[in-house]
Amino acid sequence: DSFDELDRLEALHRTDGHTRCRCGMACWLAMGMQRSAASPSAATGSGSAPPPVTLVVGPEEFLAERAISAVVRAARGLDPEVNVHDLGPGELGVGMLAELTSPSLFGGGSVVVIRGGQDLAAPVIEDLGRYLPEPAEGAWMVPLRKGTSKGKAMLDAVRAAMTPEVDCSELKKYADKVA
């Protein structure tokens, strides 16, 4: 029963603020979604719109991949022809963000995954700062930042925009690893 699965997810759900979630996935429960009797899957993100920007922070790659997958799955639920641009560290250049998030001539939105956010150059962070107040419609962005001490400027810029954040801290307890 899908309500049993939802109850299990709610039991795992731990927030340490209004938009941070420690359950290790892009948890729309932490982002304001409510349980609906008509659509129990709405609370887990399938069929509901992901936020325009979802910040993923922490060294646990498994949890980061789960968060990215949840955003992509939700975006494809709204637009099956969404393009996914998965950019590795150093691949995002100045001016590319506007190009990647612009509507396509052939239709379809885009999901832009920015890996290695801690390594972004200052001009790229400035582009990001200009984009965040008014994200493009039909585009979703997932900046990732490992839990290192560098890259605080990117982290501060994204947090200043009050975007939802998924905490991908290292899993140390066995119970967290199997959940």
Side-chain angles (χ1 to χ4, degrees):
D1 174 72
S2 50
F3 278 116
D4 291 336
E5 177 66 12
L6 187 57
D7 289 337
R8 187 184 74 75
L9 287 173
E10 285 177 346
L12 291 173
H13 177 74
R14 301 179 302 271
T15 58
D16 62 356
H18 191 25
T19 58
R20 288 189 187 184
C21 178
R22 296 254 319 126
C23 72
M25 47 195 293
C27 182
W28 274 263
L29 290 170
M31 298 174 201
M33 295 300 293
Q34 298 296 319
R35 177 190 281 211
S36 164
S39 177
S41 65
T44 60
S46 62
S48 61
V53 180
T54 302
L55 176 62
V56 178
V57 180
E60 191 65 50
E61 288 184 34
F62 172 73
L63 299 179
E65 290 303 319
R66 190 187 273 184
I68 293 166
S69 295
V71 172
V72 170
R73 192 171 40 255
R76 285 204 167 127
L78 296 171
D79 180 1
E81 296 183 22
V82 74
N83 294 314
V84 178
H85 306 282
D86 197 338
L87 306 173
E91 289 183 17
L92 183 64
V94 176
M96 287 179 62
L97 191 56
E99 179 184 324
L100 294 171
T101 58
S102 295
S104 168
L105 294 174
F106 305 105
S110 63
V111 176
V112 179
V113 179
I114 305 170
R115 296 178 188 275
Q118 69 276 1
D119 297 323
L120 291 177
V124 176
I125 294 172
E126 290 173 13
D127 275 355
L128 185 62
R130 286 189 293 273
Y131 175 83
L132 290 170
E134 294 184 40
E137 191 171 324
W140 298 273
M141 182 189 313
V142 185
L144 279 81
R145 179 184 180 269
K146 300 240 183 222
T148 65
S149 59
K150 45 188 247 192
K152 187 153 173 22
M154 187 279 294
L155 187 63
D156 291 342
V158 178
R159 282 183 174 162
M162 302 297 292
T163 63
E165 183 174 325
V166 180
D167 183 4
C168 297
S169 298
E170 184 178 0
L171 298 177
K172 296 180 181 179
K173 296 180 186 175
Y174 177 76
D176 288 340
K177 291 180 181 183
V178 297

